[in-house]
Amino acid sequence: MTLELMPDIVLGTLLLLMAWGALYAPTRYDAMALFVAFGVVVALIWARLGAPDLALAEAAIGAGLTGVLLMQAARQLPAEVSVTGKRMPWFGSSLLFLVLTCAMFAAHILTDSSFKQAGIDTSATRLLGGPTVPEMVTAALPNSGVSYPVTAVLLNFRAWDTMLELLVLLLALTGVRQLYPGTPQHPRANTASSPQAWPVLLSWARFLAPLLVLLGGFLLWRGASGPGGAFQAGALLASAAVMLRLTGLLPPLRWSSFLLRLTVILGALLFLGVALASLAFGDGWLVYPTQWAGALIIVIELAATLSIAVTLSLLVIGESEDLAS
Amino acid sequence: MTGLQLYLILGAAVFLLGLHALLMTTDSIRRLIAVNLMGAGIFLIMVALAGRISPPDPVLHALVVTGLVVAISATAFALRLITAAARIDSGQSAIPDKASRLASKTLSDVAEDSRP
């Protein structure tokens, strides 16, 4: 154990404390606040582990939007039936089991020779003596249209994942919309809610929202050559929309508007279009022609950013006014 | 102990902590948080494994970015189902038309509610 591990040990201790608090804090609000704090610690750990993309995404999604979601849901729920006060019969034995399992895992990792020399051993990713997957990514990077490997993987080499992920977002939104059928009964109930927000909050929201939009645009542009990309940009735009909507500065995002519905499906639609076109005229499903790859990736990212931003905002703050058709 | 080993153990610990809470608590919000913690533990293990080489493995990072977005959409949907179920339990309709006035409260109301 060296001095270099000190930050990791501090972060790890914080992580475990926050996780424990998020699960067993006395009140539900404490648990939620600690879960948001857990998200912040996780974002710090991603930064420490050399994954700035993940740190950005986690800070916006895991720490920000999830917190809003939980608070939003909690105030609609009845008070919690006592959880921590009740005696759990198996609590002690299951805790013992937990600690033992973790200790066994730790013992295995600490003694297994393949984990001993981190940074040198790559045998797990080497397939039958061929090049490792990261080596293949590095080799194919010049033909991918972007110069940052994570973006290249997301939007070129494994574009399938990203397309299906956009469809998962759509699926979640469709599921949420099932709970809000028909026309809203109070079409103007929400528009007058802005005076209730604190003045400080209002001015902060007015100050932060343009900055968030600017930052989102920067991350989208930056994604081609460095950490950033469609998800981080979409999450930032969504958080700007959520903030403005919560303070009443933004009118309801109406599902009945054609433009909104188009934006929601734009990303998936464009992705499918590119996939079909590359299947019909190119080398196969989602195999971009090399000279067009850069332009295609930028267009897809732009559409995906807008779709992700609108879908996430609707998922997080959509009420019957926003979601009913 | 290296950083890799530390983070692998941490990931497993967070996963098990989440699993434990999922099995032991009854409040649906806490169980949802528990599932999210289990996901975070898995992500931690994946990113730790990605860091075995330098520069880190971009494929695993991309998978975790995808996983984060899928996790939040699943969480959002689950929370809507939880609130709908709570409405049914309290005798209201699952469809929140009547409840929309309650739902349109602003942040200041939430702060009032949460104040002890």
Side-chain angles (χ1 to χ4, degrees):
Chain A
M1 201 169 291
T2 57
L3 204 59
E4 293 160 27
L5 274 181
M6 276 316 284
D8 303 292
I9 291 168
V10 170
L11 281 174
T13 317
L14 265 178
L15 186 82
L16 288 180
L17 283 177
M18 295 300 158
W20 181 262
L23 296 170
Y24 298 112
T27 73
R28 204 190 258 154
Y29 271 103
D30 293 347
M32 288 173 185
L34 284 170
F35 183 58
V36 173
F38 175 84
V40 176
V41 177
V42 171
L44 286 176
I45 287 182
W46 294 157
R48 171 82 185 152
L49 284 172
D53 306 86
L54 290 172
L56 286 168
E58 179 76 39
I61 294 178
L65 291 177
T66 313
V68 176
L69 260 176
L70 287 172
M71 300 277 171
Q72 191 93 347
R75 71 182 190 199
Q76 295 176 28
L77 289 178
E80 186 176 5
V81 203
S82 73
V83 170
T84 43
K86 200 161 64 181
R87 267 197 72 76
M88 298 279 183
W90 299 325
F91 194 88
S93 53
S94 64
L95 200 64
L96 187 70
F97 172 74
L98 183 82
V99 172
L100 279 181
T101 318
C102 201
M104 271 168 62
F105 188 75
H108 174 69
I109 283 183
L110 289 176
T111 51
D112 189 345
S113 59
S114 69
F115 288 109
K116 278 242 171 80
Q117 294 177 309
I120 300 164
D121 180 69
T122 54
S123 58
T125 51
R126 193 177 290 279
L127 304 165
L128 302 172
T132 64
V133 175
E135 281 167 13
M136 284 155 70
V137 170
T138 318
L141 196 59
N143 293 330
S144 68
V146 290
S147 58
Y148 187 60
V150 176
T151 310
V153 171
L154 274 174
L155 284 146
N156 197 335
F157 307 144
R158 292 189 65 100
W160 252 115
D161 292 0
T162 310
M163 190 173 89
L164 290 177
E165 177 201 333
L166 288 174
L167 291 180
V168 166
L169 271 175
L170 265 184
L171 196 66
L173 186 62
T174 316
V176 168
R177 275 205 73 241
Q178 301 307 305
L179 299 169
Y180 297 86
T183 50
Q185 292 198 346
H186 310 283
R188 293 205 185 141
N190 237 357
T191 48
S193 61
S194 51
Q196 293 169 354
W198 306 320
V200 179
L201 188 63
L202 281 176
S203 55
W204 256 114
R206 286 203 180 97
F207 177 66
L208 274 180
L211 274 184
L212 281 173
V213 173
L214 192 69
L215 205 59
F218 171 74
L219 280 182
L220 179 63
W221 168 76
R222 176 99 176 105
S225 58
F231 305 109
Q232 291 85 351
L236 279 185
L237 290 183
S239 57
V242 164
M243 191 174 57
L244 289 179
R245 189 78 187 81
L246 284 179
T247 48
L249 293 169
L250 198 72
L253 310 156
R254 293 191 191 285
W255 184 257
S256 52
S257 139
F258 174 73
L259 213 61
L260 182 80
R261 280 175 290 168
L262 183 69
T263 320
V264 165
I265 61 166
L266 188 64
L269 214 56
L270 196 74
F271 229 132
L272 266 178
V274 169
L276 286 175
S278 62
L279 180 67
F281 307 112
D283 295 334
W285 187 257
L286 283 173
V287 180
Y288 311 141
T290 310
Q291 67 272 27
W292 291 353
L296 275 177
I297 285 178
I298 286 179
V299 172
I300 293 176
E301 274 206 298
L302 200 61
T305 304
L306 289 176
S307 289
I308 290 171
V310 174
T311 312
L312 276 183
S313 336
L314 282 175
L315 278 176
V316 172
I317 40 137
E319 299 295 346
S320 58
E321 297 210 344
D322 306 289
L323 287 166
S325 48
Chain B
M1 182 144 92
T2 62
L4 169 69
Q5 291 167 337
L6 178 71
Y7 282 112
L8 284 178
I9 293 167
L10 263 183
V14 170
F15 178 89
L16 285 171
L17 209 57
L19 184 66
H20 178 251
L22 183 69
L23 297 174
M24 298 304 293
T25 53
T26 50
D27 183 41
S28 44
I29 293 239
R30 280 176 203 265
R31 301 182 87 176
L32 189 61
I33 291 180
V35 173
N36 269 299
L37 285 188
M38 288 166 71
I42 299 282
F43 292 157
L44 196 54
I45 289 178
M46 285 171 75
V47 177
L49 287 177
R52 277 180 303 172
I53 51 170
S54 173
D57 184 355
V59 178
L60 281 174
H61 282 188
L63 283 178
V64 176
V65 170
T66 312
L68 278 178
V69 180
V70 171
I72 188 165
S73 47
T75 306
F77 186 37
L79 279 172
R80 297 304 177 113
L81 289 179
I82 289 172
T83 44
R87 271 195 299 270
I88 292 176
D89 282 348
S90 62
Q92 300 173 24
S93 154
I95 296 159
D97 267 341
K98 291 277 165 56
S100 75
R101 200 179 55 79
L102 176 79
S104 69
K105 287 196 298 187
T106 54
L107 272 182
S108 52
D109 300 325
V110 179
E112 294 286 334
D113 292 349
S114 63
R115 218 163 275 162

